[in-house]
Amino acid sequence: QVQMIESGGGLAQAGGSLRLSCAASGGTISPYAVGWFRQRPGKEREFVAAISRSTGITTYADSVKGRFTISRDNDKSTVYLQMNDLKHEDTAAYYCNSGAATYYLQNVDAEHLASWGQGTQVTVSS
């Protein structure tokens, strides 16, 4: 796994958009599946989206399907999360992480993921 650094969070209005970025620190993302996660106040960290390492197959949580899009640029070792039609309930700290397979990301299997970064805060006003 490779450590990731998140950026791009901020304040948005409901119905608006934000784009998060996640860059590899001290390595490359090419060998790994990469995912986005979020943690709302008082809640456990949850899976949001993932993109596989080779085929680029994407997977989404039902709550964001159709609104969020994950993509990756292996040359820049960066993964993006385009968030459209934001809702108040999308307010959370967002994290990205890498793993050997999408399965570990979907299940937030910390034993098979890199260390968590600082995250980036997204706040959606209703």
Side-chain angles (χ1 to χ4, degrees):
Q1 304 92 343
V2 61
Q3 188 78 37
M4 311 295 287
I5 301 175
E6 306 89 348
S7 63
L11 178 65
Q13 291 187 333
S17 300
L18 281 174
R19 188 195 196 202
L20 306 183
S21 298
C22 176
S25 174
T28 176
I29 66 169
S30 299
Y32 306 107
V34 184
W36 283 95
F37 307 81
R38 66 187 182 188
Q39 188 166 19
R40 290 176 276 195
K43 303 289 186 180
E44 290 189 354
R45 194 168 299 173
E46 63 179 2
F47 168 77
V48 174
I51 186 165
S52 66
R53 59 182 180 176
S54 56
T55 60
I57 293 175
T58 57
T59 308
Y60 298 93
D62 288 343
S63 58
V64 305
K65 202 171 292 184
R67 300 188 298 120
F68 290 10
T69 303
I70 187 172
S71 61
R72 64 190 293 160
D73 184 335
N74 286 344
D75 291 338
K76 296 181 179 179
S77 282
T78 301
V79 176
Y80 305 96
L81 185 68
Q82 178 66 43
M83 305 186 296
N84 297 330
D85 190 22
L86 283 163
K87 303 178 180 181
H88 178 67
E89 51 264 40
D90 294 321
T91 295
Y94 283 72
Y95 303 84
C96 63
N97 211 324
S98 64
T102 300
Y103 170 84
Y104 298 122
L105 300 167
Q106 285 183 272
N107 290 280
V108 198
D109 186 344
E111 290 189 8
H112 293 88
L113 303 179
S115 300
W116 294 100
Q118 296 295 311
T120 186
Q121 179 67 35
V122 171
T123 302
V124 183
S125 61
S126 54

